[in-house]
Amino acid sequence: MLPPSALATLAGREAVPVEAGLTRREREVLDLLAAGASNKVIARRLNLSFHTAKAHVASVLQKLGAGSRADAVARGARAGLVLL
């Protein structure tokens, strides 16, 4: 049994901090990303402009160190930030 941070190191990946510094809104965006929502759908569901939704998605990807939306969801799931 190894802690997740040790497993990430052994796998050559950087561990994602549990909170990852995500704001409440960014966590909502991450939940919608996990549901497969596009930026347009995220904007509608959260009552945001398309550009604001796009900025939140970019921020989530950056904070999680993810290269794609799918990677962000996977990292969020491993960190316990999102349920799949």
Side-chain angles (χ1 to χ4, degrees):
M1 298 293 288
L2 294 172
S5 60
L7 289 174
T9 302
L10 290 173
R13 291 185 229 132
E14 189 175 319
V16 177
V18 174
E19 287 301 315
L22 296 181
T23 64
R24 178 186 54 81
R25 181 63 87 186
E26 289 166 343
R27 294 201 48 177
E28 292 172 336
V29 168
L30 181 59
D31 286 338
L32 290 169
L33 287 175
S38 66
N39 289 352
K40 190 174 184 179
V41 170
I42 291 170
R44 273 194 222 134
R45 293 244 179 105
L46 299 179
N47 198 26
L48 303 170
S49 74
F50 173 79
H51 295 289
T52 301
K54 187 176 174 181
H56 282 310
V57 169
S59 181
V60 168
L61 268 63
Q62 187 268 323
K63 286 182 178 182
L64 294 177
S68 68
R69 297 162 79 92
D71 187 27
V73 171
R75 289 171 181 253
R78 282 193 301 270
L81 298 172
V82 65
L83 296 175
L84 298 179

Coordinates of all heavy atoms in Angstrom, one line a residue:
M1 N 0.8 -1.2 0.0 CA 0.0 0.0 0.0 C 0.9 1.2 0.0 O 1.8 1.4 0.9 CB -0.9 0.0 1.2 CG -1.9 -1.1 1.4 SD -3.1 -1.1 0.1 CE -4.1 0.2 0.6
L2 N 0.6 2.1 -0.9 CA 1.4 3.4 -1.1 C 0.4 4.5 -1.1 O -0.7 4.4 -1.6 CB 2.2 3.4 -2.3 CG 3.4 2.4 -2.4 CD1 3.9 2.4 -3.8 CD2 4.4 2.7 -1.4
P3 N 0.8 5.7 -0.6 CA -0.1 6.8 -0.7 C -0.2 7.3 -2.1 O 0.8 7.0 -2.9 CB 0.6 7.9 0.2 CG 2.0 7.4 0.4 CD 2.0 5.9 0.2
P4 N -1.3 8.0 -2.5 CA -1.4 8.4 -3.9 C -0.2 9.2 -4.4 O 0.2 9.1 -5.6 CB -2.7 9.2 -3.9 CG -3.5 8.7 -2.7 CD -2.4 8.3 -1.7
S5 N 0.4 10.1 -3.6 CA 1.5 10.9 -4.1 C 2.7 10.0 -4.4 O 3.4 10.3 -5.4 CB 1.9 11.9 -3.0 OG 2.3 11.2 -1.8
A6 N 2.9 8.9 -3.7 CA 4.0 8.0 -4.0 C 3.7 7.3 -5.3 O 4.6 7.1 -6.1 CB 4.3 7.0 -2.9
L7 N 2.5 6.9 -5.5 CA 2.1 6.2 -6.7 C 2.3 7.1 -7.9 O 2.8 6.7 -9.0 CB 0.6 5.7 -6.7 CG 0.4 4.5 -5.7 CD1 -1.1 4.3 -5.6 CD2 1.1 3.3 -6.2
A8 N 1.9 8.4 -7.8 CA 2.0 9.3 -8.9 C 3.5 9.5 -9.2 O 3.9 9.6 -10.4 CB 1.4 10.6 -8.5
T9 N 4.4 9.6 -8.2 CA 5.8 9.7 -8.4 C 6.3 8.5 -9.2 O 7.1 8.6 -10.1 CB 6.5 9.9 -7.1 OG1 6.0 11.1 -6.5 CG2 8.0 10.1 -7.3
L10 N 6.0 7.3 -8.7 CA 6.4 6.1 -9.4 C 5.9 6.0 -10.8 O 6.6 5.5 -11.7 CB 6.0 4.9 -8.6 CG 6.7 4.7 -7.2 CD1 6.0 3.5 -6.5 CD2 8.1 4.4 -7.4
A11 N 4.8 6.5 -11.1 CA 4.2 6.5 -12.4 C 4.7 7.6 -13.3 O 4.4 7.7 -14.5 CB 2.7 6.5 -12.4
G12 N 5.6 8.4 -12.7 CA 6.2 9.6 -13.5 C 5.2 10.7 -13.7 O 5.4 11.5 -14.5
R13 N 4.2 10.8 -12.8 CA 3.3 11.9 -12.9 C 3.4 12.7 -11.6 O 3.7 12.2 -10.5 CB 1.8 11.4 -13.0 CG 1.6 10.7 -14.3 CD 0.1 10.4 -14.4 NE 0.1 9.0 -14.8 CZ -0.7 8.0 -14.3 NH1 -1.4 8.3 -13.3 NH2 -0.6 6.8 -14.8
E14 N 3.0 14.0 -11.7 CA 3.0 14.8 -10.6 C 1.6 14.7 -9.9 O 0.6 14.7 -10.5 CB 3.1 16.3 -11.0 CG 3.4 17.3 -9.9 CD 3.6 18.7 -10.4 OE1 4.4 18.8 -11.4 OE2 3.1 19.6 -9.8
A15 N 1.6 14.6 -8.5 CA 0.4 14.4 -7.8 C -0.4 15.7 -7.8 O 0.2 16.8 -7.7 CB 0.7 14.0 -6.4
V16 N -1.7 15.7 -7.9 CA -2.5 16.8 -7.8 C -2.9 17.1 -6.4 O -3.4 16.1 -5.7 CB -3.8 16.6 -8.7 CG1 -4.7 17.8 -8.5 CG2 -3.4 16.4 -10.1
P17 N -2.7 18.3 -5.8 CA -3.1 18.5 -4.5 C -4.6 18.3 -4.3 O -5.4 18.6 -5.3 CB -2.8 20.0 -4.2 CG -1.9 20.4 -5.3 CD -2.1 19.4 -6.5
V18 N -5.1 17.9 -3.2 CA -6.5 17.5 -3.0 C -7.4 18.7 -3.4 O -8.4 18.5 -4.1 CB -6.8 17.0 -1.6 CG1 -8.3 16.8 -1.4 CG2 -6.0 15.8 -1.3
E19 N -7.1 19.8 -2.9 CA -8.0 21.0 -3.3 C -7.6 21.6 -4.6 O -8.4 22.2 -5.3 CB -8.0 22.0 -2.2 CG -8.8 21.6 -1.0 CD -10.2 21.3 -1.3 OE1 -10.9 22.1 -2.0 OE2 -10.7 20.3 -0.8
A20 N -6.3 21.5 -5.0 CA -5.8 22.0 -6.2 C -6.0 23.5 -6.4 O -5.8 24.1 -7.5 CB -6.3 21.3 -7.4
G21 N -6.4 24.2 -5.3 CA -6.7 25.6 -5.4 C -7.9 26.0 -6.3 O -8.0 27.2 -6.7
L22 N -8.8 25.1 -6.5 CA -10.0 25.4 -7.4 C -11.0 26.2 -6.6 O -11.3 25.9 -5.4 CB -10.6 24.1 -7.9 CG -9.8 23.2 -8.8 CD1 -10.6 22.0 -9.2 CD2 -9.3 24.0 -10.0
T23 N -11.5 27.2 -7.2 CA -12.6 27.9 -6.6 C -13.9 27.1 -6.7 O -14.0 26.1 -7.4 CB -12.9 29.3 -7.3 OG1 -13.3 29.0 -8.7 CG2 -11.6 30.1 -7.4
R24 N -14.9 27.6 -6.0 CA -16.2 26.9 -6.0 C -16.7 26.8 -7.5 O -17.2 25.8 -7.9 CB -17.2 27.6 -5.2 CG -18.6 27.0 -5.2 CD -19.7 27.9 -4.4 NE -19.8 29.2 -4.9 CZ -20.4 29.6 -6.0 NH1 -21.1 28.8 -6.7 NH2 -20.5 30.9 -6.3
R25 N -16.6 27.9 -8.2 CA -17.1 27.9 -9.6 C -16.3 27.0 -10.5 O -16.8 26.3 -11.3 CB -17.0 29.3 -10.1 CG -17.5 29.5 -11.6 CD -18.9 29.1 -11.7 NE -19.7 30.3 -11.5 CZ -21.0 30.3 -11.4 NH1 -21.7 29.2 -11.6 NH2 -21.7 31.4 -11.2
E26 N -15.0 26.9 -10.2 CA -14.1 26.0 -11.0 C -14.5 24.5 -10.7 O -14.4 23.7 -11.6 CB -12.6 26.3 -10.7 CG -12.2 27.6 -11.3 CD -10.8 28.0 -10.8 OE1 -10.4 27.6 -9.8 OE2 -10.2 28.9 -11.5
R27 N -14.9 24.3 -9.5 CA -15.3 22.9 -9.1 C -16.6 22.6 -9.8 O -16.8 21.4 -10.3 CB -15.4 22.7 -7.6 CG -14.0 22.8 -7.0 CD -13.8 22.2 -5.7 NE -14.3 20.9 -5.6 CZ -14.1 20.2 -4.5 NH1 -13.5 20.7 -3.5 NH2 -14.6 19.0 -4.3
E28 N -17.5 23.5 -10.0 CA -18.7 23.3 -10.7 C -18.4 23.1 -12.2 O -19.0 22.2 -12.8 CB -19.6 24.6 -10.6 CG -20.2 24.8 -9.2 CD -21.0 26.1 -9.1 OE1 -20.7 27.1 -9.9 OE2 -21.8 26.2 -8.2
V29 N -17.5 23.8 -12.7 CA -17.0 23.6 -14.1 C -16.4 22.2 -14.3 O -16.8 21.5 -15.2 CB -16.0 24.7 -14.5 CG1 -15.4 24.3 -15.9 CG2 -16.7 26.1 -14.6
L30 N -15.6 21.8 -13.3 CA -15.0 20.4 -13.4 C -16.1 19.4 -13.4 O -16.0 18.4 -14.1 CB -14.0 20.2 -12.2 CG -13.3 18.9 -12.2 CD1 -12.5 18.7 -13.5 CD2 -12.4 18.9 -11.0
D31 N -17.1 19.6 -12.5 CA -18.3 18.6 -12.5 C -18.9 18.5 -13.9 O -19.3 17.4 -14.3 CB -19.3 19.0 -11.4 CG -18.8 18.7 -10.0 OD1 -17.9 17.9 -9.9 OD2 -19.3 19.3 -9.1
L32 N -19.1 19.7 -14.5 CA -19.8 19.7 -15.8 C -18.8 19.1 -16.9 O -19.3 18.4 -17.8 CB -20.2 21.1 -16.2 CG -21.4 21.6 -15.4 CD1 -21.6 23.1 -15.6 CD2 -22.6 20.8 -15.7
L33 N -17.5 19.3 -16.8 CA -16.6 18.7 -17.7 C -16.7 17.1 -17.5 O -16.7 16.4 -18.6 CB -15.2 19.1 -17.4 CG -14.8 20.5 -17.8 CD1 -13.4 20.8 -17.3 CD2 -14.9 20.7 -19.3
A34 N -16.8 16.7 -16.3 CA -16.9 15.2 -16.1 C -18.2 14.7 -16.7 O -18.3 13.5 -17.1 CB -16.9 14.9 -14.6
A35 N -19.2 15.5 -16.8 CA -20.5 15.1 -17.4 C -20.4 15.2 -19.0 O -21.4 14.9 -19.6 CB -21.6 15.9 -16.9
G36 N -19.3 15.7 -19.5 CA -19.1 15.8 -20.9 C -19.7 17.1 -21.5 O -19.8 17.2 -22.8
A37 N -19.9 18.1 -20.7 CA -20.5 19.3 -21.2 C -19.4 20.1 -22.0 O -18.3 20.2 -21.7 CB -21.0 20.2 -20.0
S38 N -19.9 20.8 -23.1 CA -19.1 21.7 -23.9 C -19.0 23.0 -23.2 O -19.8 23.3 -22.2 CB -19.7 21.8 -25.3 OG -21.0 22.5 -25.2
N39 N -18.2 23.9 -23.7 CA -18.1 25.3 -23.1 C -19.5 26.0 -23.2 O -19.9 26.7 -22.3 CB -17.0 26.1 -23.8 CG -15.7 25.7 -23.4 OD1 -15.5 24.8 -22.6 ND2 -14.7 26.2 -24.1
K40 N -20.2 25.8 -24.3 CA -21.5 26.4 -24.5 C -22.5 25.9 -23.5 O -23.2 26.7 -22.9 CB -22.0 26.1 -25.9 CG -23.2 26.8 -26.4 CD -23.4 26.5 -27.9 CE -24.6 27.3 -28.4 NZ -24.8 27.0 -29.8
V41 N -22.5 24.6 -23.2 CA -23.4 24.0 -22.2 C -23.0 24.5 -20.8 O -23.9 24.8 -20.0 CB -23.4 22.5 -22.3 CG1 -24.2 21.9 -21.1 CG2 -24.0 22.0 -23.6
I42 N -21.7 24.6 -20.5 CA -21.3 25.1 -19.2 C -21.8 26.5 -19.0 O -22.3 26.8 -18.0 CB -19.7 25.0 -19.1 CG1 -19.3 23.5 -19.0 CG2 -19.2 25.7 -17.9 CD1 -17.8 23.3 -19.2
A43 N -21.6 27.3 -20.1 CA -22.1 28.7 -20.0 C -23.6 28.8 -19.7 O -24.0 29.6 -18.8 CB -21.7 29.4 -21.3
R44 N -24.3 28.0 -20.4 CA -25.8 28.0 -20.2 C -26.2 27.5 -18.8 O -27.0 28.2 -18.1 CB -26.5 27.1 -21.2 CG -26.8 27.8 -22.5 CD -27.8 27.0 -23.3 NE -27.4 27.0 -24.6 CZ -27.3 26.0 -25.5 NH1 -27.6 24.8 -25.0 NH2 -26.9 26.1 -26.7
R45 N -25.6 26.4 -18.3 CA -26.0 25.8 -17.0 C -25.6 26.7 -15.9 O -26.2 26.8 -14.8 CB -25.3 24.5 -16.9 CG -25.8 23.4 -17.8 CD -26.5 22.3 -17.1 NE -27.0 21.3 -18.0 CZ -26.5 20.2 -18.2 NH1 -25.4 19.8 -17.6 NH2 -27.0 19.3 -19.1
L46 N -24.4 27.4 -16.0 CA -24.0 28.3 -14.9 C -24.3 29.8 -15.1 O -23.8 30.6 -14.3 CB -22.4 28.1 -14.7 CG -22.0 26.7 -14.4 CD1 -20.5 26.6 -14.3 CD2 -22.6 26.2 -13.1
N47 N -25.1 30.0 -16.1 CA -25.5 31.4 -16.4 C -24.3 32.3 -16.6 O -24.2 33.4 -16.0 CB -26.5 31.9 -15.4 CG -27.2 33.1 -15.8 OD1 -27.5 33.3 -17.0 ND2 -27.7 34.0 -14.9
L48 N -23.4 31.9 -17.4 CA -22.1 32.7 -17.7 C -22.1 33.0 -19.2 O -22.8 32.3 -20.0 CB -20.9 31.8 -17.4 CG -20.7 31.3 -16.0 CD1 -19.6 30.3 -15.9 CD2 -20.5 32.4 -15.0
S49 N -21.2 33.9 -19.6 CA -21.0 34.1 -21.0 C -20.1 33.0 -21.5 O -19.4 32.3 -20.7 CB -20.3 35.5 -21.3 OG -18.9 35.4 -20.9
F50 N -20.1 32.7 -22.8 CA -19.3 31.7 -23.4 C -17.8 31.9 -23.1 O -17.1 31.0 -22.7 CB -19.5 31.6 -24.9 CG -18.6 30.7 -25.6 CD1 -18.8 29.3 -25.6 CD2 -17.5 31.2 -26.2 CE1 -17.9 28.4 -26.2 CE2 -16.6 30.3 -26.9 CZ -16.8 28.9 -26.9
H51 N -17.4 33.2 -23.2 CA -16.0 33.5 -22.9 C -15.6 33.3 -21.5 O -14.5 32.8 -21.2 CB -15.7 34.9 -23.4 CG -15.9 35.1 -24.9 ND1 -15.0 34.5 -25.8 CD2 -16.8 35.7 -25.6 CE1 -15.4 34.8 -27.0 NE2 -16.5 35.5 -26.9
T52 N -16.5 33.6 -20.5 CA -16.2 33.3 -19.1 C -16.1 31.8 -18.8 O -15.2 31.4 -18.1 CB -17.3 34.0 -18.2 OG1 -17.3 35.4 -18.5 CG2 -17.0 33.7 -16.8
A53 N -17.0 31.0 -19.4 CA -16.9 29.6 -19.3 C -15.6 29.1 -19.8 O -15.0 28.2 -19.2 CB -18.1 28.9 -20.0
K54 N -15.2 29.5 -21.0 CA -14.0 29.1 -21.6 C -12.8 29.5 -20.7 O -11.9 28.6 -20.5 CB -13.8 29.8 -23.0 CG -12.7 29.3 -23.8 CD -12.7 30.0 -25.2 CE -11.5 29.7 -26.0 NZ -11.5 30.3 -27.3
A55 N -12.8 30.6 -20.1 CA -11.8 31.0 -19.2 C -11.7 30.1 -17.9 O -10.6 29.8 -17.5 CB -11.9 32.5 -18.8
H56 N -12.9 29.8 -17.4 CA -12.9 28.9 -16.2 C -12.4 27.5 -16.6 O -11.6 26.9 -15.8 CB -14.4 28.7 -15.7 CG -14.8 29.9 -14.9 ND1 -14.1 30.4 -13.8 CD2 -15.9 30.6 -14.9 CE1 -14.7 31.4 -13.3 NE2 -15.9 31.6 -13.9
V57 N -12.7 27.0 -17.8 CA -12.2 25.7 -18.2 C -10.7 25.8 -18.3 O -10.0 24.9 -17.8 CB -12.8 25.3 -19.6 CG1 -12.1 24.0 -20.1 CG2 -14.3 24.9 -19.4
A58 N -10.2 26.8 -18.9 CA -8.7 27.0 -19.1 C -8.0 27.0 -17.7 O -7.0 26.5 -17.5 CB -8.4 28.2 -19.9
S59 N -8.7 27.7 -16.7 CA -8.1 27.8 -15.4 C -8.1 26.5 -14.7 O -7.1 26.1 -14.0 CB -9.0 28.8 -14.6 OG -8.4 28.9 -13.3
V60 N -9.2 25.7 -14.9 CA -9.2 24.3 -14.3 C -8.1 23.5 -14.9 O -7.4 22.8 -14.1 CB -10.6 23.7 -14.5 CG1 -10.6 22.2 -14.2 CG2 -11.7 24.4 -13.7
L61 N -7.9 23.5 -16.2 CA -6.9 22.7 -16.8 C -5.5 23.1 -16.3 O -4.7 22.3 -16.0 CB -6.9 22.9 -18.3 CG -7.7 21.9 -19.1 CD1 -9.2 21.9 -18.7 CD2 -7.5 22.0 -20.6
Q62 N -5.3 24.4 -16.2 CA -4.0 24.9 -15.7 C -3.7 24.5 -14.3 O -2.7 24.0 -13.9 CB -3.9 26.5 -15.9 CG -2.6 27.1 -15.6 CD -2.5 27.5 -14.1 OE1 -3.4 28.0 -13.5 NE2 -1.3 27.4 -13.6
K63 N -4.7 24.7 -13.4 CA -4.5 24.4 -12.0 C -4.3 22.9 -11.7 O -3.6 22.5 -10.8 CB -5.7 24.9 -11.2 CG -5.7 26.4 -11.0 CD -6.9 26.9 -10.1 CE -6.8 28.4 -10.0 NZ -7.9 28.9 -9.1
L64 N -4.9 22.1 -12.6 CA -4.8 20.6 -12.4 C -3.6 20.1 -13.2 O -3.2 18.9 -13.1 CB -6.0 19.9 -12.8 CG -7.3 20.1 -12.0 CD1 -8.5 19.4 -12.6 CD2 -7.0 19.7 -10.6
G65 N -2.9 21.0 -14.0 CA -1.8 20.5 -14.8 C -2.2 19.6 -15.9 O -1.4 18.7 -16.3
A66 N -3.4 19.8 -16.4 CA -4.0 18.9 -17.4 C -3.7 19.4 -18.8 O -3.7 20.6 -19.0 CB -5.5 18.7 -17.1
G67 N -3.6 18.5 -19.7 CA -3.3 18.8 -21.1 C -4.6 18.8 -21.9 O -4.6 19.3 -23.1
S68 N -5.7 18.3 -21.4 CA -7.0 18.2 -22.1 C -8.1 18.2 -21.1 O -7.9 18.0 -19.9 CB -7.0 17.0 -23.0 OG -7.1 15.8 -22.2
R69 N -9.3 18.3 -21.6 CA -10.5 18.2 -20.7 C -10.6 16.8 -20.1 O -10.9 16.7 -18.9 CB -11.8 18.5 -21.6 CG -11.8 19.9 -22.1 CD -12.8 20.0 -23.3 NE -14.1 20.2 -22.8 CZ -14.7 21.3 -22.6 NH1 -14.1 22.4 -22.9 NH2 -16.0 21.4 -22.2
A70 N -10.3 15.8 -20.9 CA -10.4 14.4 -20.3 C -9.3 14.2 -19.3 O -9.6 13.6 -18.2 CB -10.2 13.4 -21.5
D71 N -8.2 14.8 -19.5 CA -7.1 14.7 -18.5 C -7.5 15.4 -17.2 O -7.2 14.9 -16.1 CB -5.8 15.2 -19.1 CG -4.6 15.0 -18.2 OD1 -4.5 14.0 -17.4 OD2 -3.6 15.8 -18.4
A72 N -8.1 16.6 -17.3 CA -8.5 17.3 -16.2 C -9.5 16.5 -15.4 O -9.5 16.4 -14.1 CB -9.2 18.6 -16.6
V73 N -10.5 15.8 -16.0 CA -11.5 15.0 -15.3 C -10.8 13.8 -14.7 O -11.1 13.5 -13.5 CB -12.6 14.5 -16.3 CG1 -13.5 13.5 -15.7 CG2 -13.4 15.7 -16.8
A74 N -9.8 13.2 -15.4 CA -9.1 12.1 -14.8 C -8.3 12.5 -13.5 O -8.4 11.8 -12.5 CB -8.2 11.4 -15.8
R75 N -7.6 13.6 -13.6 CA -6.9 14.1 -12.5 C -7.8 14.5 -11.4 O -7.5 14.3 -10.2 CB -6.0 15.3 -12.9 CG -4.8 14.9 -13.8 CD -4.1 16.1 -14.4 NE -3.0 15.8 -15.2 CZ -1.7 15.9 -14.9 NH1 -1.4 16.4 -13.8 NH2 -0.8 15.5 -15.8
G76 N -8.9 15.2 -11.7 CA -9.9 15.5 -10.7 C -10.4 14.3 -10.0 O -10.6 14.3 -8.7
A77 N -10.7 13.3 -10.7 CA -11.2 12.0 -10.1 C -10.2 11.4 -9.2 O -10.5 10.9 -8.1 CB -11.6 11.1 -11.2
R78 N -8.9 11.3 -9.6 CA -7.9 10.8 -8.8 C -7.7 11.5 -7.5 O -7.3 11.0 -6.5 CB -6.6 10.7 -9.6 CG -6.5 9.5 -10.6 CD -5.1 9.3 -11.1 NE -4.5 10.4 -11.7 CZ -4.6 10.7 -13.1 NH1 -5.2 9.8 -13.8 NH2 -4.0 11.7 -13.6
A79 N -7.9 12.9 -7.6 CA -7.7 13.7 -6.4 C -9.0 13.8 -5.6 O -9.0 14.4 -4.5 CB -7.3 15.1 -6.9
G80 N -10.0 13.1 -6.0 CA -11.3 13.1 -5.2 C -12.1 14.3 -5.4 O -13.0 14.6 -4.6
L81 N -11.8 15.1 -6.4 CA -12.6 16.4 -6.6 C -13.9 16.1 -7.4 O -14.7 17.0 -7.4 CB -11.7 17.4 -7.4 CG -10.4 17.8 -6.7 CD1 -9.6 18.6 -7.6 CD2 -10.8 18.6 -5.4
V82 N -13.9 15.0 -8.1 CA -15.1 14.7 -8.9 C -15.4 13.2 -8.9 O -14.5 12.4 -8.8 CB -14.9 15.2 -10.4 CG1 -13.8 14.5 -11.1 CG2 -16.2 15.2 -11.2
L83 N -16.7 12.9 -8.8 CA -17.1 11.5 -8.9 C -17.5 11.1 -10.3 O -18.2 11.9 -11.0 CB -18.3 11.3 -7.9 CG -18.1 11.5 -6.5 CD1 -19.4 11.4 -5.7 CD2 -17.0 10.6 -5.9
L84 N -17.1 10.0 -10.7 CA -17.4 9.5 -12.0 C -18.4 8.4 -12.0 O -18.6 7.7 -11.1 CB -16.1 9.0 -12.8 CG -15.0 10.0 -13.0 CD1 -13.9 9.4 -13.7 CD2 -15.5 11.2 -13.8

